[in-house]
Each structure stands twice: as structure tokens, then as C-alpha cells.
């Protein structure tokens, strides 16, 4: 019967953990076996709260004013042909997708090249801009790190293309069930609980707590974990928040794994209707300070690519720059596809969203954004 149900489950939904994987989940200190779900480090409501009544919630969700750019979002084509002079470079590829070059190794966080963050090609949130570069243009990858299994962080077509590379996947506990169903061999990924570490290509990849939730299908059981990540090399270390609400655990992560040369912090898709599971820009700035003080650079992520919340599309960038300036934090806001070295004296800080192009986003997928065959350098 389980095989029949699996066959009826759409491929994009992935797979539910079973067998030894489920047994390992049930042994996790972060899993509530009686409730049948993972626990957050601080209690969080994952359902929208109709703060001012259900009609106010619906009006906010349906409001379109300011939710999309008036013109084309500017893009950059990063030059990845030579290594970073400092040994550390970050390239923001839109939303939460970041290529981190750390001490000679390359780590790709939350890779999403699909035009929609949805199980369907014809419905769901669509990109506000095409992917800045084709996936194959990134070259060699040593590791692919996934924060959790939501569609805007775990994109099945992208994962299936990356399966053709030699990169090793690092994912939270339970997410391996999705990868296996999509053709990634178990030897190709490390599936980690919070506070567990995998050694990959000379880097230490550690899953750390986050305050969020999981799910890809209907009536999801909370049996796949969500995580933030620490990547530490011989000389540099970075932090990627994934999706999370603010919680005091950031200070603990910083004390145990910091200080960080750079943090990549979620500052978009927030709302008063779901305050526990996404941070506002000011909360993201506070998380950065908890993690590393003013010593590291902040790259705001999870904004500017998909329309996922009632706030204006560019508001997260504006609020982050203001909060960072007030706190004395060095924040970088490159255009999608833009690169920077966190140790540089000048970081990309121009508010590019105030100067949109003249071409409105096309209704159809731009030809240059269509994914092609993966040709990653295996050297």
C-alpha cells in the first residue's frame, strides 16, 4: 500500500521519511515523538494569525500595490574565473541562493533556478527576475547546502541537474528522502540533525537551529527538519540563516561557532500575520549582531526574487540598509548576480532597487533564463 501511495504522490512533493530514516528522526532530541513532529527551539505558530480579523488578512494577501518592481531588475554576471584575493567571496544569486567561495572550496546554498517556487510549472509565485547566470556557468562545486524543504529553497529541477555534478549535498534530517526520490544516491549526501557536522572537501558544515517549519505536500507532517548552517574553512567561516524567526539561540550559535567573516540573513517575506517564522530586517540585523557583533559583513537574503508576503518588494532592502547604518554594521546589497569579498573596504551598498529599468517583467520565461543541460566543471 505504501508503494501505491508513493506512486500517487507527485514527484515534486518528494517523499516522506520512512524506515531507518524515520527511526533516526524519532531518536532526535529535537523531535516530539508523541506529537509526531520536530520542535522549534522556541515555540512558534506556523499558521497565519488573522491579527485584525480574517478579512484584513485576506485583503493584505491579495493586495498587489508595490509587490512587484515597476521595471526590470538589474542583474550582474559574476566573474568566477579567478579565486577571491582574500580567500572568501560571496555571490548573491537571488532569494536565498548564494555561492560562497571559502578557502579554495565552493559551496552553493539553497539553489533555486526554477521560474516558480511551486510544485507546478503553471502556478505559484513566479520570479521577479531571471536567474542571473545559468547553473552550468558556476563551474566546480564542492558542496550544496539546503536549509529546508520549502519550494523556494529546495527546487526539484535544480537538484536533479546538480545530481549530475560531483558536489556533495548537506541537508537537514529527513530531507534526504526527497533527494533519494529525485535520484541522488545516499552516498552523495549528509543528512544532519542540529549540532551535527559533516566534513566535506576540507570544510566543516554544521547544521544549527532555526525557528521555522517544513513541508511540500498536502497535510504535511513536520518530519523533516529545518536548519541554519555554519561553514568553516581553515581561515574563514560563514553563516547562512535559511528561513527563521528571531530567537535567542543566535547568540549561542555565535559563541560556539563564531565569529563569522560574513552572515547571510533572511530579512524578507515577513508579516505581522506570521511573526514567529520569518524575521523583519530589524530582527535580521539583531540576529547578525548576536552572531558576530559588528566584525563581519551582512548579506541580506530571501528578498527581491519572489513575491511571498504583503510587504512592498524592495522594502526589505531599504529597511536593512537603514538598520545596518544605525547599528554600525557593514551590509552588502549587491544586485542579483553580484559578488563581493567581505573583507573589502567598500561593500556594494548602492540601493539599486530605487532605479528600475524601463522594461517591465515579461509574462513568459525569458529565453536566457531557461535552464539548460548541466555542464559543471568536475575538476
Amino acid at each position: 500500500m505504501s508503494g501505491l501511495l508513493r506512486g500517487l504522490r507527485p514527484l515534486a512533493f518528494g517523499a516522506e521519511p520512512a524506515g531507518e530514516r524515520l527511526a533516526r528522526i524519532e531518536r532526535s532530541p529535537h523531535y516530539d515523538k508523541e506529537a509526531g513532529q520536530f520542535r522549534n527551539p522556541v515555540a512558534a505558530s506556523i499558521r497565519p494569525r488573522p491579527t485584525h480579523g480574517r478579512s484584513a488578512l485576506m485583503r493584505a494577501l491579495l493586495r498587489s500595490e508595490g509587490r512587484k518592481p515597476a521595471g526590470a531588475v538589474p542583474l550582474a554576471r559574476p566573474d568566477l574565473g579567478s579565486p577571491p584575493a582574500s580567500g572568501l567571496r560571496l555571490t548573491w544569486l537571488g532569494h536565498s541562493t548564494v555561492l560562497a567561495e571559502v578557502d579554495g572550496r565552493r559551496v552553493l546554498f539553497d539553489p533555486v533556478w526554477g521560474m516558480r517556487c511551486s510544485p507546478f510549472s503553471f502556478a505559484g509565485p513566479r520570479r521577479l527576475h531571471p536567474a542571473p547566470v545559468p547553473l552550468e556557468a558556476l563551474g566546480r562545486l564542492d558542496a550544496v547546502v539546503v536549509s529546508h524543504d520549502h519550494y523556494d529553497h529546495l527546487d526539484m529541477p535544480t537538484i536533479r541537474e546538480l545530481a549530475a555534478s560531483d558536489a556533495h549535498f548537506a541537508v537537514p534530517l529527513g530531507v534526504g528522502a526527497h533527494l533519494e526520490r529525485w535520484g541522488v544516491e545516499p552516498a552523495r549526501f549528509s543528512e544532519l540533525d542540529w549540532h551535527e557536522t559533516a566534513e566535506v572537501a576540507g570544510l566543516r558544515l554544521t547544521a544549527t537551529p532555526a525557528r521555522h517549519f517544513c513541508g511540500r505536500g498536502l497535510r504535511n507532517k513536520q518530519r523533516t527538519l529545518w536548519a541554519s548552517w555554519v561553514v568553516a574553512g581553515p581561515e574563514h567561516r560563514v553563516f547562512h540563516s535559511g528561513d527563521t524567526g528571531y530567537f535567542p539561540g543566535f547568540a549561542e550559535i555565535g559563541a560556539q561557532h563564531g565569529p563569522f567573516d560574513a552572515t547571510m540573513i533572511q530579512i524578507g517575506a515577513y508579516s505581522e500575520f506570521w511573526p514567529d517564522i520569518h524575521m523583519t530586517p530589524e530582527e535580521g540585523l539583531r540576529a547578525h549582531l548576536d552572531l558576530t557583533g559588528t566584525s563581519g559583513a551582512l548579506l541580506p537574503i530571501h528578498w527581491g526574487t519572489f513575491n511571498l508576503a504583503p510587504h512592498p518588494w524592495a522594502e526589505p532592502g531599504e529597511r536593512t540598509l537603514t538598520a545596518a547604518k544605525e547599528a554600525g554594521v557593514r551590509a552588502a546589497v549587491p544586485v542579483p548576480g553580484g559578488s563581493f569579498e567581505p573583507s573589502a573596504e567598500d561593500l556594494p551598498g548602492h540601493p539599486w532597487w530605487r532605479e528600475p529599468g524601463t522594461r517591465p517583467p515579461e509574462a513568459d520565461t525569458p529565453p536566457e533564463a531557461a535552464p539548460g543541460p548541466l555542464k559543471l566543471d568536475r575538476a
Side-chain angles (χ1 to χ4, degrees):
M1 180 62 71
S2 61
L4 175 61
L5 292 175
R6 178 186 173 116
L8 295 174
R9 183 183 175 95
L11 187 63
F13 282 13
E16 287 288 336
E20 175 52 34
R21 175 175 285 113
L22 180 57
R24 183 184 169 200
I25 287 169
E26 292 176 339
R27 293 193 299 268
S28 168
H30 310 110
Y31 187 79
D32 185 336
K33 191 171 181 179
E34 183 175 341
Q37 61 185 24
F38 278 105
R39 293 186 299 265
N40 267 302
V42 174
S45 174
I46 64 175
R47 297 179 182 275
R49 302 175 184 174
T51 308
H52 305 293
R54 294 189 179 278
S55 59
L57 171 61
M58 293 307 299
R59 285 196 302 271
L61 295 179
L62 295 174
R63 185 170 57 240
S64 61
E65 184 178 0
R67 299 278 294 276
K68 295 182 179 181
V73 172
L75 303 176
R77 179 86 179 220
D79 180 5
L80 303 173
S82 57
S86 66
L88 177 63
R89 179 168 58 203
L90 301 182
T91 302
W92 183 49
L93 296 163
H95 203 54
S96 295
T97 304
V98 182
L99 176 66
E101 297 170 86
V102 184
D103 299 334
R105 302 301 182 187
R106 290 173 160 217
V107 181
L108 184 61
F109 290 96
D110 284 356
V112 175
W113 262 256
M115 286 304 296
R116 295 186 186 274
C117 52
S118 165
F120 310 109
S121 62
F122 55 86
R126 186 181 181 277
R127 282 180 171 273
L128 302 179
H129 63 81
V133 295
L135 185 57
E136 63 268 22
L138 296 186
R140 174 183 57 82
L141 296 173
D142 295 289
V144 174
V145 175
V146 175
S147 64
H148 63 297
D149 70 358
H150 285 160
Y151 288 94
D152 57 323
H153 297 261
L154 181 65
D155 180 50
M156 182 190 70
T158 303
I159 295 297
R160 296 183 80 179
E161 290 193 50
L162 286 168
S165 74
D166 289 336
H168 189 83
F169 294 81
V171 300
L173 187 56
V175 176
H178 301 315
L179 300 191
E180 282 195 64
R181 191 177 184 203
W182 299 336
V184 182
E185 296 293 329
R188 292 280 312 282
F189 60 83
S190 298
E191 203 169 350
L192 306 183
D193 201 346
W194 291 340
H195 310 298
E196 292 183 342
T197 296
E199 300 275 352
V200 178
L203 300 175
R204 289 175 55 83
L205 312 181
T206 303
T208 46
R211 191 184 183 205
H212 200 56
F213 67 110
C214 67
R216 295 181 70 84
L218 302 175
R219 298 182 179 179
N220 280 285
K221 299 176 181 178
Q222 298 294 298
R223 288 180 175 171
T224 62
L225 190 58
W226 46 95
S228 56
W229 287 88
V230 172
V231 174
E235 302 294 334
H236 297 91
R237 58 187 60 204
V238 298
F239 174 85
H240 188 284
S241 72
D243 277 1
T244 181
Y246 180 82
F247 69 109
F250 290 118
E252 298 172 11
I253 295 170
Q256 184 173 359
H257 299 283
F260 297 101
D261 297 280
T263 67
M264 297 157 270
I265 303 288
Q266 173 261 303
I267 52 87
Y270 48 84
S271 172
E272 63 177 315
F273 301 114
W274 49 83
D276 297 342
I277 54 173
H278 283 291
M279 293 189 289
T280 65
E282 294 77 18
E283 288 173 325
L285 193 282
R286 182 181 176 188
H288 172 87
L289 290 171
D290 288 350
L291 287 159
T292 200
T294 58
S295 64
L298 164 64
L299 172 63
I301 60 172
H302 202 263
W303 73 287
T305 299
F306 294 107
N307 182 348
L308 302 176
H311 60 68
W313 80 277
E315 182 181 275
E318 289 282 359
R319 288 173 59 172
T320 298
L321 281 185
T322 298
K325 183 177 180 180
E326 292 176 353
V329 168
R330 302 173 66 245
V333 286
V335 300
S339 298
F340 68 97
E341 298 190 29
S343 62
E345 182 176 351
D346 295 318
L347 300 180
H350 178 68
W352 49 266
W353 52 88
R354 298 177 189 170
E355 303 171 0
T358 57
R359 180 181 61 83
E362 300 294 338
D364 300 319
T365 302
E368 67 272 17
L374 183 67
K375 298 178 181 178
L376 295 179
D377 181 5
R378 297 176 183 236

